[in-house]
Amino acid sequence: KVRMRMEDTVSSFQLNSSLVPGNLFNCHLELVLDSSDSGFFVYFDFMSMADETGGECEDDYVQFGRDILFITSHRSNKYCGVIEGALQSPPPNATMEDTQSITPLDKRIYSEFSDQEMDVWVKITVPNTGSRPKTLSLIVTPFKKSCNSQDRRYKKCGISQNCARAELFCDGAVNCALPTKVPQ
């Protein structure tokens, strides 16, 4: 397990299996925030891994969780398969076919509200040389569980009480990973 202190900095995690030695990539990260009034928003920018088999992500997956000391107390559902397409507003002349391959926001987000630490497990079976590589891109944004209008450093995420750093809004990245119709 690799422990990483994030403070209030947004982090982007990228993985391309063609750069991984061996046949299996197995990683356990523990992301840590300074304050108990903080949490994590996770946004899958893109992912190309093995699909579910029999309703389960077995060969490849990303999973989130939390622990108490050395005992895992919560694990999220596993994320696998393909997540694709930018979530910016489509151009006015876009057809239904143009937007069909875009993975909806609610299928590409995870939030950790309960703890100031979040475990991330990534498992990938590395494909043979010459095969299409498996890829993953995550954006992890620390958030405050509440803020007030006098706090100029933070801005509320939509109608929620959660707040992200103000300079992150309109930066082209999804930093408020909430199940809304329009990403922020």
Side-chain angles (χ1 to χ4, degrees):
K1 172 167 57 170
V2 175
R3 189 174 167 94
M4 183 175 148
R5 184 166 301 282
M6 290 189 59
E7 298 177 9
D8 64 353
T9 306
V10 175
S11 295
S12 176
F13 296 91
Q14 312 282 323
L15 177 65
N16 183 320
S17 67
S18 67
L19 304 174
V20 175
N23 299 327
L24 183 66
F25 178 80
N26 224 338
C27 177
H28 179 185
L29 293 173
E30 183 176 57
L31 306 180
V32 182
L33 298 171
D34 290 335
S35 172
S36 61
D37 73 338
S38 298
F40 299 90
F41 286 137
V42 179
Y43 173 75
F44 286 82
D45 196 26
F46 60 82
M47 179 170 69
S48 179
M49 296 182 170
D51 285 324
E52 292 180 352
T53 51
E56 291 287 322
C57 299
E58 292 179 12
D59 293 337
D60 304 334
Y61 63 82
V62 177
Q63 188 174 35
F64 305 97
R66 56 184 172 268
D67 54 33
I68 299 170
L69 297 174
F70 56 88
I71 298 170
T72 301
S73 60
H74 169 76
R75 285 186 186 251
S76 72
N77 291 331
K78 293 177 179 176
Y79 294 79
C80 61
V82 175
I83 291 178
E84 62 185 347
L87 277 177
Q88 283 75 24
S89 300
N93 58 350
T95 65
M96 187 66 128
E97 287 176 6
D98 293 337
T99 59
Q100 271 185 331
S101 65
I102 298 173
T103 305
L105 187 60
D106 64 340
K107 303 274 191 244
R108 59 195 312 158
I109 58 174
Y110 176 78
S111 301
E112 176 56 61
F113 297 93
S114 301
D115 201 347
Q116 69 192 67
E117 297 179 356
M118 179 175 70
D119 290 291
V120 183
W121 295 276
V122 179
K123 179 187 169 207
I124 295 180
T125 304
V126 178
N128 295 328
T129 305
S131 299
R132 185 175 178 187
K134 296 175 180 177
T135 56
L136 171 66
S137 176
L138 297 175
I139 298 170
V140 180
T141 305
F143 68 85
K144 285 177 69 173
K145 293 179 183 174
S146 65
C147 61
N148 61 47
S149 57
Q150 281 74 41
D151 190 348
R152 300 257 185 248
R153 281 194 65 213
Y154 287 86
K155 182 177 171 182
K156 283 189 178 188
C157 292
I159 60 170
S160 81
Q161 292 300 310
N162 305 309
C163 308
R165 288 198 349 246
E167 71 267 16
L168 299 175
F169 287 81
C170 299
D171 68 350
V174 176
N175 297 109
C176 291
L178 296 166
T180 58
K181 291 205 184 283
V182 179
Q184 296 182 3

